[in-house]
Amino acid sequence: MRIANLSGRLALIVNGLAVDVATASDGRFSADPQAVFEQFDEFRGWAAAAVLPAGTPFDPAELGAPAPLPRQVFGIGLNYQAHAAESGIAAPSSPAVFTKFVTSFSGPYTQVRLPAGEVDWEVELVAVIGRRAEHVAASAAWPHVAGLTVGQDISERVLQMVGAVPQFSLAKSYPGFAPMGPWLVTVDEFTDPDDLELSCAIDGEQMQKGRTSEMIFSVPELIEKLSAVTPLLPGDVIFTGTPSGVGMGRTPKRFLQPGEVLTTSIEGIGGLRQSFVR
Ligand code: ZN
């Protein structure tokens, strides 16, 4: 199942066409794309059994973030061995956690204003929670995930590294620094949700390519570690970390420039497209 935020309304994407959920369900489910995660098991059951009306074509520019207003957002740093190595930091023995503030969220196809500094890219698998998770073991974690989407953890490295300790959260939260989408794909759609190819490119030149099976802490392990401390709530968003190939890890270093286009994709989900202006 592909679940989208289309102009701020919850939609199912079926064969490339959009079905408005509030209309198709006669109001049983709200049009609010964030509200569906509060009753996600019920929603999944309805969607599987419902005879849906024919979908309608839509403008992809109207897609928003699939979970646009979560109560909690978790970002995981240095979650791939090769990325920790290119960052010059030892691989963590427990997840390195920060947040991206929700004002940085956007849909999949956007223009992003570059702040002063050095703006970098990070392709990431994003998991959205569909069932409250508190002290959940990794072996029981996947049913707590509503679905997976594509994310970019865009990061301004000067602010991130200034000062005695890194400023991960603030430096990764400029407006437009958390594009997501194009939709949320439920976990049952993947042959192996723990092994998906992810990549990104600038103006068609590949910058990153990896597989989520290379994560130091897999999605289920992250849920175990996070939910041991703080309950994960329906609709919460987890940016799960990036593979190697970011700009600050390259020789010479490279950062996003005005006029460049960043494309990002994950196997079985789809892609993002960001253009940049100063
Ligand atoms: Zn990241």
Side-chain angles (χ1 to χ4, degrees), residues 4 64 66 89-90 103 108 117 124 134-135 140 148 158 170 181 228 239 242 244 247 249 258-259 272 277-278:
I89 299 174
T103 50
E124 305 202 3
E134 192 167 4
H135 299 291
L148 301 173
V158 175
L170 201 57
F239 279 76
T242 198
S244 61
L272 314 177
V277 294
R278 185 65 76 186

Side-chain angles (χ1 to χ4, degrees), residues 26-276:
D26 264 334
R28 178 172 166 193
F29 298 98
S30 154
D32 176 359
Q34 190 68 42
V36 71
F37 301 107
E38 293 295 337
Q39 44 182 168
F40 198 73
D41 288 327
E42 187 187 342
F43 173 73
R44 191 157 32 193
W46 168 80
V51 179
L52 297 172
T56 53
F58 61 94
D59 179 356
E62 291 176 3
L63 290 165
L69 205 55
R71 284 169 289 188
Q72 305 185 107
V73 182
F74 301 87
I76 308 299
L78 307 167
N79 198 24
Y80 289 73
Q81 195 80 46
H83 175 58
E86 74 177 352
S87 304
I89 299 174
S93 55
S94 70
V97 181
F98 58 92
T99 194
K100 285 174 87 74
F101 300 108
V102 291
T103 50
S104 66
F105 278 28
S106 78
Y109 311 118
T110 59
Q111 185 178 77
V112 180
R113 188 167 296 280
L114 290 166
E118 299 173 339
V119 179
D120 207 343
W121 54 88
E122 296 189 356
V123 54
E124 305 202 3
L125 179 72
V126 171
V128 177
I129 297 296
R131 213 185 266 174
R132 182 184 171 98
E134 192 167 4
H135 299 291
V136 169
S139 59
W142 270 121
H144 293 265
V145 177
L148 301 173
T149 193
V150 184
Q152 259 289 344
D153 178 17
I154 300 175
S155 306
E156 197 285 288
R157 302 301 190 193
V158 175
L159 180 60
Q160 181 180 324
M161 300 304 180
V162 77
V165 292
Q167 281 273 18
F168 276 57
S169 303
L170 201 57
K172 291 167 173 279
S173 292
Y174 282 94
F177 272 30
M180 270 171 277
W183 31 64
L184 190 72
V185 180
T186 50
V187 180
D188 57 284
E189 299 268 330
F190 299 95
T191 308
D192 181 357
D194 288 300
D195 184 25
L196 305 173
E197 184 179 283
L198 69 176
S199 63
C200 72
I202 297 174
D203 295 339
E205 181 188 350
Q206 186 176 285
M207 293 291 130
Q208 293 185 278
K209 185 177 184 179
R211 303 197 68 85
T212 59
S213 52
E214 299 160 356
M215 285 181 185
I216 296 170
F217 300 100
S218 66
V219 170
E221 287 166 345
L222 289 172
I223 288 171
E224 176 175 308
K225 299 276 189 188
L226 295 170
S227 77
V229 178
T230 184
L232 304 182
L233 308 176
D236 281 0
V237 166
I238 306 173
F239 279 76
T240 60
T242 198
S244 61
V246 302
M248 72 169 178
R250 309 179 84 86
T251 309
K253 293 180 194 301
R254 177 172 178 174
F255 299 105
L256 288 159
Q257 302 300 320
E260 288 183 332
V261 173
L262 176 66
T263 50
T264 304
S265 63
I266 301 183
E267 174 186 7
I269 304 175
L272 314 177
R273 182 184 190 279
Q274 273 59 55
S275 61
F276 294 86

